[in-house]
Amino acid sequence: MRRLAPMLLAALAVMAAACEKKTQPAPSGEGGSQAAQGQGAAPGGAPADANTILLGQVGSLTGGQATFGISTRNGIELALKEANAAGGVKGKKLAIRVYDNQSKPEEAAQAATRLITQDKVALILGDVASSNSLAMAEKAQAAGVPMITPSSTNPTVTDKGDYIFRVCFIDPFQGFVMAKFARENLKLNKVAVLQDNKSAYSIGLADVFTRKFTEMGGKVVAVESYSQGDTDYRAQLTAIRKSQPEGIYVPGYYSEVGIIARQAREVGLKVPLMGGDGWDSEKLFELGGSAISGSYFSNHYSPDNPDPRVQKFIADYKAAYGAVPDALAALGYDAARVAVAALERAKDLSGPAVRDAIAQTKDFPGVAGTVSLDANRNAVKSAVVLKVEDGKTQYVTTINP
């Protein structure tokens, strides 16, 4: 089934791109077909259809992080389907309108504006990439529409204001996790860093990793950079090789990391690569081949977790989409369930009421960990470290805050 995933994802991406070309896309999800098309209600309020609560999602359904957006969309869709099967919220069905941002911040901002001003959604879910979520957050905060990002880990995302939340941990913790793992588990003393200078996610992780690894007694012997979309990293990797590192931290996305792994082996670098949750995609194995084996990355969940709640989610997801869910799917599922629980608790569907209800989230039982939101609207939770081996991931350890 995992072999089929890339073809399936490519087909879904094409379908998503086709849907994006429509000027008035129909909302998806159970009971969503009759939702309002930009009628009546003020931003953050209920849609004109009194029997439906319309939510919005902005995701990278095409472009460089397409598998992230598709996995997230699937997780959200599954959660809303379950909520509607259980009776919906406040006697209403839930529907969601999804827009593709093409993995671009400017498109993400435009899509968020469309959800707010045209579709009048009660709440926005998305995106995965921090740069895209930052662009969306400005629009949502200014309009007073609550937004939950499932998996944007850059700290500045929720700094945009009190309407912006996340259900994932943040980069300072994720950078700490891999620095601690490199020093204590891999026993590394000298590492190099290869970062994406156009990605807030990559820069943030690299900064924290460097600081924490150094504080723990390690030394960063080289720092090189690239830009998203580059295809030749040999010059940077050759420079890194000269510094003789024992490992290389590459906090980028799977689309570049897989190629970097191949080219690292080509220039003679045999040391392990390390990264963050941006590696989590079936495409990583396809792009990296055997060169990515023996590498490690921090993540939000592991399919190997025997918890019955996690295993039920995996079984339901496989039944619906024919693949084992990755962490992005798990976080999309958790974000939608946190949103549904908040809508149920809120005294009404106004932006302030929904915002206050989300902020009260505590000990929420997610499949990617228990979610409690702190005063800065960030989830406080543990992380796992996974090893890439023979085209799949293996659980290694859990590191707590």
Side-chain angles (χ1 to χ4, degrees):
M1 191 60 70
R2 294 169 80 90
R3 290 179 180 176
L4 293 176
M7 295 178 61
L8 176 61
L9 292 173
L12 289 171
V14 170
M15 293 169 63
C19 290
E20 174 60 15
K21 293 176 181 176
K22 300 174 182 176
T23 55
Q24 294 288 337
S28 61
E30 295 284 328
S33 61
Q34 300 302 313
Q37 296 279 351
Q39 304 171 30
D49 183 341
N51 297 316
T52 303
I53 298 174
L54 183 61
L55 311 181
Q57 182 199 349
V58 180
S60 302
L61 302 175
T62 58
Q65 294 105 44
T67 72
F68 291 166
I70 293 169
S71 292
T72 303
R73 183 189 62 185
N74 292 347
I76 291 171
E77 185 179 76
L78 182 61
L80 297 186
K81 182 177 181 181
E82 292 176 357
N84 281 332
V89 172
K90 300 182 187 305
K92 304 175 188 293
K93 291 295 184 182
L94 296 161
I96 189 161
R97 185 153 294 143
V98 182
Y99 289 124
D100 177 18
N101 62 31
Q102 304 170 41
S103 305
K104 300 174 182 175
E106 58 272 24
E107 295 291 338
Q110 292 177 12
T113 298
R114 199 183 319 168
L115 288 172
I116 293 165
T117 61
Q118 174 181 300
D119 302 319
K120 315 289 186 186
V121 298
L123 180 150
I124 297 174
L125 297 166
D127 186 19
V128 171
S130 295
S131 297
N132 297 340
S133 288
L134 283 165
M136 294 166 56
E138 286 191 4
K139 306 299 182 183
Q141 179 66 31
V145 176
M147 169 181 150
I148 304 175
T149 168
S151 41
S152 289
T153 52
N154 187 282
T156 57
V157 172
T158 48
D159 288 347
K160 291 294 182 181
D162 60 352
Y163 280 82
I164 313 303
F165 302 84
R166 78 179 101 216
V167 296
C168 57
F169 48 65
I170 58 177
D171 287 341
F173 176 61
Q174 187 172 199
F176 160 78
V177 165
M178 193 48 69
K180 180 180 175 67
F181 181 77
R183 285 292 289 157
E184 297 185 2
N185 294 67
L186 299 181
K187 309 297 183 186
L188 303 185
N189 296 309
K190 301 187 303 177
V191 301
V193 173
L194 179 56
Q195 65 185 36
D196 180 350
N197 266 353
K198 287 189 176 180
S199 165
Y201 161 80
S202 184
I203 294 170
L205 268 182
D207 288 347
V208 175
F209 174 87
T210 298
R211 185 171 69 253
K212 293 299 181 183
F213 189 76
T214 303
E215 290 174 357
M216 294 175 193
K219 184 177 181 181
V220 175
V221 294
V223 177
E224 295 287 336
S225 62
Y226 63 92
S227 296
Q228 185 182 56
D230 287 353
T231 57
D232 189 345
Y233 310 90
R234 293 178 181 85
Q236 298 96 317
L237 291 166
T238 299
I240 286 174
R241 187 186 62 187
K242 293 177 181 176
S243 66
Q244 299 183 320
E246 298 165 344
I248 307 172
Y249 188 55
V250 191
Y253 294 122
Y254 65 87
S255 44
E256 282 84 27
V257 170
I259 301 170
I260 288 170
R262 286 182 183 272
Q263 295 181 1
R265 302 321 179 211
E266 287 177 19
V267 303
L269 282 164
K270 306 298 183 184
V271 298
L273 306 185
M274 301 167 285
D277 57 339
W279 287 27
D280 190 24
S281 170
E282 291 273 355
K283 284 284 187 181
L284 178 72
F285 313 130
E286 179 182 323
L287 293 168
S290 60
I292 198 69
S293 287
S295 299
Y296 302 87
F297 65 98
S298 53
N299 207 1
H300 306 267
Y301 109 122
S302 168
D304 299 331
N305 187 337
D307 186 310
R309 183 171 64 242
V310 175
Q311 291 306 312
K312 181 181 185 305
F313 163 68
I314 292 172
D316 291 345
Y317 189 96
K318 288 175 67 177
Y321 305 106
V324 174
D326 56 21
L328 288 310
L331 288 167
Y333 181 77
D334 283 352
R337 291 180 62 237
V338 164
V340 169
L343 290 167
E344 290 174 338
R345 289 195 304 269
K347 63 180 181 181
D348 56 50
L349 296 177
S350 67
V354 175
R355 175 202 58 190
D356 292 347
I358 298 171
Q360 294 167 5
T361 300
K362 184 177 181 181
D363 298 329
F364 185 86
V367 295
T370 300
V371 179
S372 291
L373 298 180
D374 65 15
N376 296 316
R377 302 167 300 286
N378 300 319
V380 179
K381 57 201 300 190
S382 59
V384 299
V385 176
L386 304 178
K387 183 178 183 180
V388 182
E389 198 70 59
D390 298 328
K392 59 184 179 181
T393 58
Q394 300 174 356
Y395 169 81
V396 178
T397 189
T398 296
I399 296 181
N400 296 311

